[in-house]
Amino acid sequence: MAELLHGEGGPAVVDLLLRAEHSRRLLLLRILDDTTDLGPAWELLSEAQRLAPSVVDTLFRYPQTGMWLATALRRLRGAGHLDEPPLWVVLSHISALAAAAALRAELDFAIEVPVWQGFAPLPTLGSAELPVSERWSMATVRSESGHAVVEASGTTVALPLPRDSPAPGWHPVRRLAVGPSERRLEVTLEDVDPFRTYPQPTGPHPLSDEAAGQWREVLKQAWEVLSREQPGSAEAMRRGVFSLTPTPATERFRPRSVTAGDAFGGIEASEPDDAVQLAVTLVHEFQHTKLGGLLHLTPLVSDSTDRSPELWYAPWRDDPRPLAGLLQGIYAFVGITDFWRTHRTAHAGRTAMAHFEFALWREHVMTAMDQVHRHPHLTPLGAALLDTLRNRCAGWLKEPVPEEQLALAGLCVADHAARWRAHHLRPSPSGVAETVRAWLSGASGPPPELATTPEVVPDRSARWLDSLAMLVRHRLDSQDGGPASPEAPEKADAEVTGALPADAFLAAGDATAACDAYVAQLSTDRPPAGAWAGLGQALRISGHAPRAAHLLGRHPERARAVHDALARAAHSAPDPIRLATWLGSPPTSR
């Protein structure tokens, strides 16, 4: 337990979590059997368990099996989405599991299994492709004396021996083994199991041989990085990561990855920019995996938070998060911070980005932890975990970082927090109304009512709040020998979704041009909320209008709310810098 509280956890800890997960899944299977009739599938699975118990144990250790169990029980409770497969398809997946177990146990049998959009998946083995027109249907799996086939609509697909060999109509599950024998990582490159994607299942989508080869190579390189720089984490991953689900590439520096508490050991990840990015993703998601396993044993947050959830600032998200969600992020990004801390000194080249990432994430993580340190809704274990992680991060804050990367990280930390405030915090409506009256009457400063604690109101339009950090990453990567960034800053924003033209000037270090561009954007009919935060940072760096810079750095939501209210009341908006300077003046009493 002490290792997990520290954000770590070796093979023995992972083995403990795996045993708990196995027991939990067997309990869920019993609940499912008590809830619905599993019919012939239950009988075939029981026979496989009797003859080859290790086969069934392996099948139920597989991440996708855990995801299926949770999905089936959720659907039986009536929870689901319109675009999810029919309930009968989800429940029939037990037949596919039973067929896979029986094939591995070398039983003779025949059973019907579901067909997902032309594919009949057999978990841990592969998927048969069938020419069926229906989106959802059934096929028959038969096995006799070691010869197995999948039949539907007059088509028969013969399953080869060994099962991991390709054959006409058969897409075997690909297994990747990377690293030397004593430190080898073995995972399934999962592209056919419907429950490989989280939180909703999707039909099989077999990779091309070329794409699978690319994933094998980048995983090999990522594993070399982890084995060399994070040997303890790598050894734990060898015991606790079983499948990697590939998804299409996303925008540069913005990978997408997902894990689910019900799918211990499974990671869904977009095609990475490079091996280092995949290594970071594996660290990130394995942290979630370990914490998810711990949460299946004991809570970190009391149940009372479900009835009236408080929402908090999570520096890695665009949206406000509840306490439990914030803890998940803290745990994951402690791991990421530790990765960059090690990586920045692991080799001589390409260190600018690593120094920046370490400085950025240690500040972000500490900011998140300071908000909820000793929160009354933390359980004793939750409080101990946060205390331990916070003490660890406090030590990292003392470690030196080169001046340029430290300044850029500080800029991005402040900018992200201010953008989040501009979007999600709402000053008191009465305070805003009183402030508008004070401005229009020529008062020397805003009323005290504007400074009352704002309310957290999630803004669904908040997207890409990390745009400035993304622009900085493009700049630093070019310094480290990566692709060159556009010479003209005003063209750089085209590389980053959500970036404002002014953000590109700010990231390039031209604070004066950034000020002008932010003011121009704030003078439009629909000014972007993030421009208030950016203007504050640009003013701070340029040294112009320090009172406005201070106000916008700490309380951009006040400027946004009053500016919008004045535009409605007076049918014209005031100069943004003049308004922010006035709002930053000492409050006046009526």
Side-chain angles (χ1 to χ4, degrees):
M1 188 64 73
E3 292 180 40
L4 287 175
L5 294 183
H6 201 63
E8 298 175 347
V13 171
V14 173
D15 287 346
L16 173 64
L17 295 176
L18 281 171
R19 290 194 297 272
E21 286 297 311
H22 186 259
S23 297
R24 179 177 181 272
R25 290 179 188 178
L26 293 180
L27 177 60
L28 293 179
L29 181 62
R30 173 56 65 186
I31 293 172
L32 185 63
D33 182 48
D34 290 343
T35 305
T36 187
D37 181 14
L38 299 180
W42 182 261
E43 297 173 6
L44 184 58
L45 197 61
S46 299
E47 179 67 6
Q49 169 70 25
R50 186 179 67 83
L51 295 176
S54 64
V55 165
V56 178
D57 286 348
T58 299
L59 192 65
F60 273 84
R61 186 185 67 173
Y62 200 53
Q64 283 63 48
T65 304
M67 197 67 205
W68 164 70
L69 281 165
T71 301
L73 290 169
R74 173 174 57 83
R75 293 292 303 276
L76 283 170
R77 293 195 301 269
H81 302 277
L82 292 176
D83 57 345
E84 285 192 301
L87 177 59
W88 67 266
V89 173
V90 173
L91 295 179
S92 296
H93 189 69
I94 182 69
S95 299
L97 286 163
L103 286 169
R104 288 187 173 279
E106 300 180 349
L107 298 177
D108 290 347
F109 69 95
I111 194 170
E112 286 195 320
V113 300
V115 178
W116 299 64
Q117 303 165 21
F119 291 90
L122 299 177
T124 73
L125 294 176
S127 183
E129 187 170 3
L130 301 162
V132 296
S133 57
E134 300 90 348
R135 190 179 183 190
W136 318 107
S137 58
M138 298 295 285
T140 300
V141 181
R142 302 181 189 276
S143 181
E144 185 175 355
S145 301
H147 299 286
V149 297
V150 182
E151 301 171 327
S153 301
T155 297
T156 298
V157 174
L159 275 58
L161 287 173
R163 308 295 186 204
D164 58 0
S165 304
W170 175 247
H171 301 277
V173 165
R174 290 184 171 91
R175 290 180 174 81
L176 307 183
V178 296
S181 57
E182 68 276 11
R183 295 192 305 275
R184 181 163 296 165
L185 175 69
E186 297 181 1
V187 298
T188 297
L189 189 64
E190 184 56 82
D191 56 357
V192 295
D193 194 300
F195 296 92
R196 71 193 184 280
T197 53
Y198 318 129
Q200 294 174 227
T202 54
H205 192 274
L207 290 174
S208 67
D209 290 340
E210 180 183 7
Q214 291 172 347
W215 271 97
R216 183 187 302 274
E217 181 59 29
V218 74
L219 180 63
K220 175 186 175 183
Q221 295 172 14
W223 190 244
E224 289 172 355
V225 172
L226 290 172
S227 297
R228 181 177 62 249
E229 300 175 14
Q230 302 269 319
S233 294
E235 187 61 27
M237 285 183 198
R238 290 182 61 216
R239 308 290 280 270
V241 175
F242 304 116
S243 71
L244 179 62
T245 296
T247 60
T250 58
E251 185 175 295
R252 192 165 168 231
F253 300 123
R254 278 178 169 154
R256 177 188 178 275
S257 60
V258 188
T259 51
D262 293 310
F264 189 102
I267 296 174
E268 180 184 349
S270 60
E271 181 183 335
D273 297 343
D274 54 33
V276 171
Q277 187 180 87
L278 181 57
V280 173
T281 294
L282 293 174
V283 169
H284 178 180
E285 297 304 340
F286 192 56
Q287 288 290 99
H288 281 306
T289 295
K290 291 184 295 183
L291 190 62
L294 177 61
L295 289 171
H296 283 161
L297 296 174
T298 183
L300 301 178
V301 177
S302 67
D303 292 338
S304 59
T305 57
D306 295 334
R307 293 188 289 274
S308 56
E310 296 175 276
L311 297 176
W312 303 93
Y313 169 53
W316 37 84
R317 298 275 302 213
D318 291 330
D319 56 333
R321 299 292 289 160
L323 180 57
L326 185 64
L327 285 180
Q328 278 280 0
I330 288 170
Y331 200 79
F333 280 92
V334 163
I336 287 178
T337 307
D338 188 43
F339 172 88
W340 288 114
R341 174 177 175 267
T342 303
H343 186 67
R344 71 196 185 111
T345 59
H347 53 86
R350 306 196 69 175
T351 58
M353 180 80 82
H355 284 304
F356 167 77
E357 297 288 1
F358 171 62
L360 179 81
W361 292 115
R362 68 180 181 178
E363 291 285 353
H364 275 333
V365 169
M366 186 58 86
T367 296
M369 289 192 286
D370 282 346
Q371 294 178 102
V372 295
H373 184 229
R374 297 180 179 171
H375 191 285
H377 287 157
L378 292 170
T379 64
L381 185 63
L385 179 140
L386 200 57
D387 278 342
T388 304
L389 297 181
R390 191 165 175 267
N391 289 338
R392 188 181 182 194
C393 191
W396 293 341
L397 289 173
K398 300 174 184 177
E399 297 186 15
V401 173
E403 184 176 344
E404 180 188 3
Q405 288 84 56
L406 184 64
L408 287 171
L411 169 65
C412 293
V413 165
D415 179 78
H416 190 280
R419 288 181 194 238
W420 188 91
R421 291 185 66 96
H423 274 283
H424 300 297
L425 297 190
R426 296 290 182 272
S428 160
S430 61
V432 171
E434 185 66 24
T435 303
V436 168
R437 288 191 290 269
W439 170 272
L440 294 175
S441 67
S444 61
E449 289 85 348
L450 188 64
T452 56
T453 303
E455 182 183 4
V456 178
V457 180
D459 179 357
R460 294 183 180 274
S461 72
R463 299 288 303 279
W464 319 117
L465 302 188
D466 61 353
S467 294
L468 184 64
M470 293 299 158
L471 289 164
V472 168
R473 288 184 174 102
H474 279 271
R475 171 182 163 183
L476 293 175
D477 190 51
S478 64
Q479 292 179 14
D480 278 341
S485 295
E487 293 184 5
E490 61 269 22
K491 296 181 180 179
D493 65 291
E495 298 182 341
V496 176
T497 302
L500 303 172
D503 296 337
F505 286 114
L506 186 58
D510 191 343
T512 300
C515 282
D516 293 341
Y518 283 126
V519 168
Q521 289 178 302
L522 290 168
S523 301
T524 61
D525 291 338
R526 298 176 64 86
W532 289 107
L535 177 59
Q537 299 307 313
L539 290 172
R540 177 183 61 81
I541 294 171
S542 68
H544 178 59
R547 189 172 288 175
H550 182 80
L551 182 283
L552 293 176
R554 291 177 175 269
H555 302 290
E557 71 279 3
R558 296 180 190 174
R560 182 192 182 193
V562 174
H563 186 270
D564 290 351
L566 280 168
R568 292 191 299 269
H571 304 292
S572 63
D575 175 77
I577 297 178
R578 179 169 167 252
L579 175 63
T581 299
W582 181 80
L583 290 172
S585 301
T588 58
S589 301
R590 289 179 291 177

